[in-house]
Amino acid sequence: MKLQDATWMDVDGFGRESVVLIPTGSLEQHGPGLPLFTDTLIVTAVAETIESALPSQVLLTPTLWLGASGHHLGFCGTLSASFESYMGAIASVVESLFPHGFHKFYVLNGHGGNKEPNGMIMRTLKARHVEASFGHSSYYDFAKNAVAETLDGPLKELRHACEAESSLMMHLHPDLVRTEKLRDDGLASEPTVVGMIHHFDESTEQGSFGYATLATAAKGKIIFDAAVEGVANEIAAIANGYFLRGL
């Protein structure tokens, strides 16, 4: 069930073993070739496909589009929430539905900058409501193998406005891709350091990181289908119930 399309009576009559699925995205720069809403568009498409496949097991909230994007503010047009306000928005969704008997909550993320605050707020909520179930992941966590096997460039993972993300947008929203402006971008440290934090105006020339010029809609479909299959299996297991077995 899509929360935005339901009446309050529809929601009141919806099964309480369902999973409240909360997509999170961003409105931030995606280089010269992709729109600012890229993360939100992709994760929303994944989440809506999951809801269509599992309509009696998923209560889908609208995507929380204002993400934690401070590391992109060096590029014009990016909007960012503070970590506190971003986590507060997720908590507000949960605390609005929990008193009505919903007790399974899952954040499905579409933006790398949201991953750490998603984990923090879900752990905080679990400590507050120990009897409820909380989980979070990013849609691309379920497509790692498909990404590695499908991409032609040397970077075999989804990064930012890269071959994988550009391919997803070509598959889902080809009208929004400025194909002629896609470019390969990204700066590497010399010597190699792995633990430093950089903003995207420091680590890229024009905001993208990866080999976007190699993107195709066909690659995007493969990645999208893999993500949907993985997320659907995860959500179905939570809705149907699972148990923890000894090693």
Side-chain angles (χ1 to χ4, degrees):
M1 177 185 289
K2 290 182 179 179
L3 184 61
Q4 67 198 41
D5 296 337
T7 69
W8 76 263
M9 290 184 179
D10 294 332
V11 181
D12 194 40
F14 201 59
R16 295 312 195 261
E17 292 303 311
S18 61
V19 178
V20 178
L21 187 60
I22 308 167
T24 59
S26 73
L27 194 156
E28 65 182 26
Q29 72 82 21
H30 273 75
L34 297 183
L36 295 164
F37 223 38
T38 290
D39 290 340
T40 298
L41 291 171
I42 295 173
V43 75
T44 299
V46 173
E48 289 183 343
T49 304
I50 300 303
E51 187 275 334
S52 294
L54 305 170
S56 65
Q57 295 180 303
V58 170
L59 180 60
L60 177 62
T61 74
T63 300
L64 300 180
W65 62 264
L66 186 59
S69 300
H71 51 305
H72 291 281
L73 285 172
F75 293 91
C76 188
T78 297
L79 304 184
S80 181
S82 67
F83 289 120
E84 294 78 11
S85 60
Y86 172 76
M87 292 188 289
I90 294 174
S92 293
V93 172
V94 171
E95 298 292 7
S96 295
L97 291 169
F98 181 78
H100 295 281
F102 294 97
H103 60 98
K104 297 179 180 180
F105 299 91
Y106 198 95
V107 170
L108 181 65
N109 178 47
H111 164 52
N114 295 341
K115 192 168 185 176
E116 289 176 334
N118 284 349
M120 290 178 64
I121 190 56
M122 296 311 269
R123 289 173 66 181
T124 299
L125 288 164
K126 177 62 177 176
R128 187 182 303 164
H129 303 294
V130 294
E131 71 278 24
S133 298
F134 298 92
H136 72 100
S137 67
S138 300
Y139 75 84
Y140 44 83
D141 292 337
F142 299 91
K144 289 181 179 179
N145 289 340
V147 168
E149 294 168 1
T150 302
L151 301 189
D152 292 320
L155 187 61
K156 302 296 185 181
E157 60 182 337
L158 188 147
R159 294 294 290 272
H160 188 75
C162 55
E163 182 181 355
E165 205 165 46
S166 298
S167 293
L168 283 163
M169 285 298 290
M170 286 179 174
H171 169 57
L172 295 170
H173 297 281
D175 55 313
L176 297 179
V177 179
R178 285 75 162 171
T179 306
E180 72 285 355
K181 293 185 178 181
L182 293 174
R183 70 191 304 268
D184 302 336
D185 197 355
L187 306 176
S189 62
E190 294 182 3
T192 300
V193 293
V194 297
M196 298 305 294
I197 296 171
H198 295 106
H199 288 184
F200 266 70
D201 55 338
E202 298 173 309
S203 60
T204 71
E205 294 177 348
Q206 293 188 16
S208 60
F209 200 108
Y211 297 87
T213 60
L214 299 175
T216 69
K219 294 175 186 176
K221 184 180 187 308
I222 292 171
I223 297 168
F224 181 80
D225 290 346
V228 166
E229 180 180 4
V231 176
N233 289 338
E234 173 104 339
I235 298 303
I238 297 168
N240 293 328
Y242 65 93
F243 61 93
L244 302 176
R245 192 201 309 265
L247 300 178

Short mmCIF file of all heavy atoms in Angstrom, two decimals, residues 33-80:
data_model
loop_
_atom_site.label_atom_id
_atom_site.label_comp_id
_atom_site.label_asym_id
_atom_site.label_seq_id
_atom_site.Cartn_x
_atom_site.Cartn_y
_atom_site.Cartn_z
N GLY A 33 25.86 15.76 -16.17
CA GLY A 33 24.99 14.97 -17.03
C GLY A 33 23.72 14.42 -16.40
O GLY A 33 22.81 14.00 -17.12
N LEU A 34 23.62 14.41 -15.08
CA LEU A 34 22.46 13.83 -14.40
C LEU A 34 21.76 14.88 -13.54
O LEU A 34 22.40 15.80 -13.02
CB LEU A 34 22.87 12.65 -13.52
CG LEU A 34 23.49 11.44 -14.21
CD1 LEU A 34 23.78 10.33 -13.19
CD2 LEU A 34 22.60 10.92 -15.33
N PRO A 35 20.44 14.74 -13.33
CA PRO A 35 19.69 15.74 -12.56
C PRO A 35 19.97 15.64 -11.06
O PRO A 35 20.40 14.60 -10.55
CB PRO A 35 18.23 15.39 -12.87
CG PRO A 35 18.26 13.93 -13.18
CD PRO A 35 19.56 13.70 -13.90
N LEU A 36 19.68 16.72 -10.37
CA LEU A 36 19.89 16.79 -8.93
C LEU A 36 19.09 15.74 -8.17
O LEU A 36 19.49 15.30 -7.09
CB LEU A 36 19.50 18.19 -8.43
CG LEU A 36 20.34 19.37 -8.94
CD1 LEU A 36 19.61 20.67 -8.68
CD2 LEU A 36 21.70 19.38 -8.28
N PHE A 37 17.99 15.31 -8.73
CA PHE A 37 17.08 14.39 -8.03
C PHE A 37 17.41 12.93 -8.32
O PHE A 37 16.61 12.04 -7.99
CB PHE A 37 15.63 14.70 -8.44
CG PHE A 37 14.64 14.69 -7.30
CD1 PHE A 37 14.97 15.20 -6.05
CD2 PHE A 37 13.35 14.20 -7.48
CE1 PHE A 37 14.05 15.22 -5.00
CE2 PHE A 37 12.43 14.21 -6.45
CZ PHE A 37 12.78 14.71 -5.22
N THR A 38 18.57 12.64 -8.88
CA THR A 38 18.92 11.29 -9.32
C THR A 38 18.72 10.24 -8.23
O THR A 38 18.05 9.22 -8.45
CB THR A 38 20.37 11.26 -9.83
OG1 THR A 38 20.44 11.97 -11.07
CG2 THR A 38 20.85 9.84 -10.05
N ASP A 39 19.31 10.44 -7.05
CA ASP A 39 19.21 9.44 -5.99
C ASP A 39 17.76 9.17 -5.61
O ASP A 39 17.36 8.01 -5.40
CB ASP A 39 19.97 9.91 -4.75
CG ASP A 39 21.47 9.92 -4.95
OD1 ASP A 39 21.97 9.24 -5.86
OD2 ASP A 39 22.16 10.62 -4.18
N THR A 40 16.97 10.24 -5.50
CA THR A 40 15.57 10.09 -5.12
C THR A 40 14.77 9.37 -6.20
O THR A 40 13.94 8.50 -5.89
CB THR A 40 14.97 11.47 -4.83
OG1 THR A 40 15.67 12.07 -3.73
CG2 THR A 40 13.49 11.37 -4.49
N LEU A 41 15.03 9.69 -7.45
CA LEU A 41 14.31 9.04 -8.54
C LEU A 41 14.59 7.54 -8.59
O LEU A 41 13.69 6.72 -8.78
CB LEU A 41 14.69 9.69 -9.87
CG LEU A 41 14.21 11.12 -10.09
CD1 LEU A 41 14.85 11.71 -11.34
CD2 LEU A 41 12.68 11.17 -10.19
N ILE A 42 15.84 7.17 -8.40
CA ILE A 42 16.21 5.74 -8.48
C ILE A 42 15.63 4.96 -7.30
O ILE A 42 15.00 3.92 -7.48
CB ILE A 42 17.73 5.57 -8.56
CG1 ILE A 42 18.28 6.17 -9.86
CG2 ILE A 42 18.09 4.08 -8.50
CD1 ILE A 42 19.79 6.18 -9.94
N VAL A 43 15.85 5.45 -6.08
CA VAL A 43 15.37 4.68 -4.93
C VAL A 43 13.84 4.64 -4.90
O VAL A 43 13.25 3.64 -4.47
CB VAL A 43 15.94 5.26 -3.61
CG1 VAL A 43 15.26 6.55 -3.20
CG2 VAL A 43 15.83 4.22 -2.50
N THR A 44 13.18 5.69 -5.37
CA THR A 44 11.72 5.67 -5.44
C THR A 44 11.24 4.62 -6.42
O THR A 44 10.27 3.90 -6.15
CB THR A 44 11.18 7.06 -5.83
OG1 THR A 44 11.58 8.02 -4.85
CG2 THR A 44 9.67 7.05 -5.94
N ALA A 45 11.91 4.51 -7.56
CA ALA A 45 11.53 3.49 -8.54
C ALA A 45 11.69 2.09 -7.97
O ALA A 45 10.83 1.22 -8.17
CB ALA A 45 12.37 3.65 -9.80
N VAL A 46 12.79 1.86 -7.25
CA VAL A 46 12.99 0.56 -6.62
C VAL A 46 11.89 0.30 -5.60
O VAL A 46 11.26 -0.77 -5.60
CB VAL A 46 14.38 0.48 -5.95
CG1 VAL A 46 14.52 -0.82 -5.16
CG2 VAL A 46 15.49 0.56 -6.99
N ALA A 47 11.64 1.26 -4.73
CA ALA A 47 10.65 1.08 -3.67
C ALA A 47 9.25 0.87 -4.22
O ALA A 47 8.49 0.02 -3.72
CB ALA A 47 10.68 2.29 -2.72
N GLU A 48 8.87 1.62 -5.24
CA GLU A 48 7.53 1.47 -5.82
C GLU A 48 7.38 0.13 -6.52
O GLU A 48 6.29 -0.46 -6.52
CB GLU A 48 7.24 2.62 -6.78
CG GLU A 48 7.03 3.95 -6.06
CD GLU A 48 6.68 5.09 -6.99
OE1 GLU A 48 6.90 4.94 -8.23
OE2 GLU A 48 6.19 6.13 -6.50
N THR A 49 8.45 -0.38 -7.11
CA THR A 49 8.39 -1.71 -7.72
C THR A 49 8.22 -2.78 -6.65
O THR A 49 7.48 -3.75 -6.84
CB THR A 49 9.66 -1.98 -8.55
OG1 THR A 49 9.82 -0.94 -9.52
CG2 THR A 49 9.57 -3.32 -9.27
N ILE A 50 8.89 -2.60 -5.51
CA ILE A 50 8.73 -3.53 -4.39
C ILE A 50 7.29 -3.51 -3.88
O ILE A 50 6.68 -4.56 -3.64
CB ILE A 50 9.70 -3.16 -3.25
CG1 ILE A 50 11.15 -3.23 -3.71
CG2 ILE A 50 9.47 -4.08 -2.04
CD1 ILE A 50 11.59 -4.53 -4.27
N GLU A 51 6.74 -2.33 -3.72
CA GLU A 51 5.36 -2.22 -3.24
C GLU A 51 4.39 -2.87 -4.21
O GLU A 51 3.43 -3.54 -3.78
CB GLU A 51 5.01 -0.74 -3.04
CG GLU A 51 3.67 -0.48 -2.39
CD GLU A 51 2.50 -0.48 -3.37
OE1 GLU A 51 2.74 -0.19 -4.57
OE2 GLU A 51 1.36 -0.79 -2.95
N SER A 52 4.63 -2.73 -5.50
CA SER A 52 3.75 -3.36 -6.49
C SER A 52 3.84 -4.88 -6.42
O SER A 52 2.84 -5.58 -6.63
CB SER A 52 4.13 -2.89 -7.90
OG SER A 52 3.88 -1.50 -8.06
N ALA A 53 5.02 -5.38 -6.11
CA ALA A 53 5.21 -6.84 -6.02
C ALA A 53 4.68 -7.41 -4.71
O ALA A 53 4.26 -8.58 -4.67
CB ALA A 53 6.69 -7.17 -6.17
N LEU A 54 4.69 -6.60 -3.65
CA LEU A 54 4.29 -7.07 -2.31
C LEU A 54 3.25 -6.12 -1.72
O LEU A 54 3.44 -5.56 -0.64
CB LEU A 54 5.51 -7.15 -1.39
CG LEU A 54 6.69 -7.99 -1.86
CD1 LEU A 54 7.90 -7.77 -0.96
CD2 LEU A 54 6.31 -9.47 -1.89
N PRO A 55 2.11 -5.92 -2.37
CA PRO A 55 1.18 -4.86 -1.95
C PRO A 55 0.56 -5.08 -0.58
O PRO A 55 0.19 -4.10 0.09
CB PRO A 55 0.11 -4.89 -3.05
CG PRO A 55 0.18 -6.28 -3.61
CD PRO A 55 1.61 -6.66 -3.55
N SER A 56 0.44 -6.33 -0.14
CA SER A 56 -0.16 -6.58 1.17
C SER A 56 0.89 -6.66 2.28
O SER A 56 0.53 -6.78 3.46
CB SER A 56 -0.96 -7.89 1.14
OG SER A 56 -0.10 -9.00 0.92
N GLN A 57 2.16 -6.57 1.91
CA GLN A 57 3.23 -6.71 2.90
C GLN A 57 4.04 -5.44 3.10
O GLN A 57 4.89 -5.39 3.98
CB GLN A 57 4.17 -7.86 2.50
CG GLN A 57 3.49 -9.22 2.51
CD GLN A 57 4.45 -10.32 2.11
OE1 GLN A 57 5.05 -10.28 1.04
NE2 GLN A 57 4.62 -11.30 2.99
N VAL A 58 3.78 -4.43 2.29
CA VAL A 58 4.57 -3.20 2.34
C VAL A 58 3.64 -1.99 2.50
O VAL A 58 2.69 -1.82 1.73
CB VAL A 58 5.40 -3.03 1.05
CG1 VAL A 58 6.03 -1.64 1.00
CG2 VAL A 58 6.48 -4.11 0.97
N LEU A 59 3.93 -1.18 3.51
CA LEU A 59 3.32 0.14 3.63
C LEU A 59 4.42 1.13 3.24
O LEU A 59 5.37 1.36 3.99
CB LEU A 59 2.84 0.40 5.06
CG LEU A 59 2.18 1.77 5.29
CD1 LEU A 59 0.95 1.95 4.41
CD2 LEU A 59 1.81 1.97 6.76
N LEU A 60 4.31 1.67 2.04
CA LEU A 60 5.36 2.50 1.46
C LEU A 60 5.09 3.97 1.75
O LEU A 60 4.06 4.52 1.35
CB LEU A 60 5.43 2.27 -0.05
CG LEU A 60 6.43 3.14 -0.83
CD1 LEU A 60 7.86 2.88 -0.35
CD2 LEU A 60 6.29 2.88 -2.32
N THR A 61 6.02 4.61 2.43
CA THR A 61 5.91 6.04 2.68
C THR A 61 6.49 6.80 1.48
O THR A 61 7.28 6.26 0.71
CB THR A 61 6.68 6.47 3.94
OG1 THR A 61 8.09 6.46 3.68
CG2 THR A 61 6.37 5.54 5.11
N PRO A 62 6.12 8.06 1.32
CA PRO A 62 6.81 8.87 0.31
C PRO A 62 8.31 8.95 0.62
O PRO A 62 8.73 8.89 1.77
CB PRO A 62 6.14 10.24 0.44
CG PRO A 62 4.80 9.95 1.04
CD PRO A 62 5.03 8.80 1.97
N THR A 63 9.11 9.10 -0.41
CA THR A 63 10.55 9.18 -0.23
C THR A 63 10.94 10.46 0.51
O THR A 63 10.47 11.55 0.17
CB THR A 63 11.26 9.14 -1.59
OG1 THR A 63 10.92 7.91 -2.25
CG2 THR A 63 12.77 9.22 -1.43
N LEU A 64 11.79 10.31 1.50
CA LEU A 64 12.35 11.47 2.18
C LEU A 64 13.50 11.98 1.32
O LEU A 64 14.59 11.41 1.32
CB LEU A 64 12.85 11.08 3.58
CG LEU A 64 11.78 10.51 4.53
CD1 LEU A 64 12.40 10.17 5.88
CD2 LEU A 64 10.63 11.48 4.71
N TRP A 65 13.26 13.06 0.60
CA TRP A 65 14.19 13.48 -0.44
C TRP A 65 15.28 14.42 0.04
O TRP A 65 16.30 14.58 -0.63
CB TRP A 65 13.44 14.13 -1.60
CG TRP A 65 12.69 15.38 -1.23
CD1 TRP A 65 11.37 15.48 -0.90
CD2 TRP A 65 13.22 16.70 -1.14
NE1 TRP A 65 11.05 16.79 -0.60
CE2 TRP A 65 12.17 17.56 -0.75
CE3 TRP A 65 14.49 17.26 -1.35
CZ2 TRP A 65 12.35 18.92 -0.56
CZ3 TRP A 65 14.67 18.63 -1.17
CH2 TRP A 65 13.60 19.44 -0.78
N LEU A 66 15.11 15.07 1.18
CA LEU A 66 16.12 15.99 1.66
C LEU A 66 17.14 15.20 2.47
O LEU A 66 16.92 14.87 3.63
CB LEU A 66 15.50 17.09 2.51
CG LEU A 66 16.45 18.20 2.97
CD1 LEU A 66 17.09 18.91 1.77
CD2 LEU A 66 15.73 19.20 3.86
N GLY A 67 18.25 14.87 1.83
CA GLY A 67 19.23 14.00 2.44
C GLY A 67 20.37 14.74 3.12
O GLY A 67 20.41 15.98 3.17
N ALA A 68 21.30 13.95 3.64
CA ALA A 68 22.51 14.48 4.26
C ALA A 68 23.55 14.66 3.16
O ALA A 68 24.30 13.75 2.84
CB ALA A 68 23.01 13.52 5.34
N SER A 69 23.59 15.83 2.59
CA SER A 69 24.38 16.09 1.38
C SER A 69 25.38 17.22 1.55
O SER A 69 25.76 17.88 0.57
CB SER A 69 23.44 16.40 0.20
OG SER A 69 22.58 15.33 -0.07
N GLY A 70 25.84 17.45 2.77
CA GLY A 70 26.76 18.55 3.02
C GLY A 70 28.03 18.48 2.20
O GLY A 70 28.62 19.51 1.84
N HIS A 71 28.45 17.26 1.86
CA HIS A 71 29.68 17.09 1.09
C HIS A 71 29.52 17.44 -0.39
O HIS A 71 30.48 17.38 -1.16
CB HIS A 71 30.20 15.65 1.23
CG HIS A 71 29.18 14.59 0.97
ND1 HIS A 71 27.97 14.52 1.62
CD2 HIS A 71 29.20 13.53 0.12
CE1 HIS A 71 27.29 13.47 1.19
NE2 HIS A 71 28.01 12.87 0.27
N HIS A 72 28.31 17.82 -0.79
CA HIS A 72 28.05 18.26 -2.17
C HIS A 72 27.70 19.74 -2.27
O HIS A 72 27.42 20.24 -3.35
CB HIS A 72 26.92 17.43 -2.79
CG HIS A 72 27.27 16.00 -3.04
ND1 HIS A 72 28.02 15.60 -4.12
CD2 HIS A 72 26.97 14.88 -2.34
CE1 HIS A 72 28.17 14.28 -4.10
NE2 HIS A 72 27.55 13.83 -3.02
N LEU A 73 27.69 20.44 -1.15
CA LEU A 73 27.24 21.83 -1.15
C LEU A 73 28.17 22.78 -1.91
O LEU A 73 27.79 23.91 -2.19
CB LEU A 73 27.06 22.32 0.29
CG LEU A 73 25.81 21.80 1.02
CD1 LEU A 73 25.85 22.20 2.48
CD2 LEU A 73 24.54 22.31 0.35
N GLY A 74 29.34 22.31 -2.25
CA GLY A 74 30.23 23.13 -3.07
C GLY A 74 29.73 23.33 -4.48
O GLY A 74 30.27 24.17 -5.22
N PHE A 75 28.71 22.58 -4.88
CA PHE A 75 28.12 22.69 -6.22
C PHE A 75 26.73 23.31 -6.11
O PHE A 75 25.90 22.87 -5.30
CB PHE A 75 28.03 21.31 -6.88
CG PHE A 75 29.37 20.71 -7.20
CD1 PHE A 75 30.00 19.89 -6.29
CD2 PHE A 75 29.98 20.95 -8.42
CE1 PHE A 75 31.24 19.32 -6.57
CE2 PHE A 75 31.22 20.39 -8.72
CZ PHE A 75 31.86 19.57 -7.80
N CYS A 76 26.48 24.29 -6.94
CA CYS A 76 25.23 25.06 -6.90
C CYS A 76 24.02 24.16 -7.13
O CYS A 76 24.03 23.30 -8.01
CB CYS A 76 25.29 26.14 -7.97
SG CYS A 76 23.93 27.31 -7.91
N GLY A 77 22.96 24.39 -6.36
CA GLY A 77 21.71 23.65 -6.50
C GLY A 77 21.51 22.57 -5.47
O GLY A 77 20.38 22.16 -5.21
N THR A 78 22.59 22.07 -4.88
CA THR A 78 22.48 21.05 -3.84
C THR A 78 21.75 21.59 -2.62
O THR A 78 22.02 22.70 -2.16
CB THR A 78 23.88 20.56 -3.43
OG1 THR A 78 24.51 19.94 -4.55
CG2 THR A 78 23.80 19.57 -2.28
N LEU A 79 20.83 20.80 -2.10
CA LEU A 79 20.16 21.10 -0.83
C LEU A 79 20.54 20.02 0.17
O LEU A 79 20.60 18.84 -0.18
CB LEU A 79 18.64 21.14 -1.00
CG LEU A 79 18.07 22.10 -2.04
CD1 LEU A 79 16.55 22.05 -2.00
CD2 LEU A 79 18.57 23.52 -1.82
N SER A 80 20.76 20.40 1.42
CA SER A 80 21.17 19.42 2.43
C SER A 80 20.47 19.68 3.75
O SER A 80 20.30 20.83 4.17
CB SER A 80 22.68 19.46 2.64
OG SER A 80 23.09 18.49 3.61
#
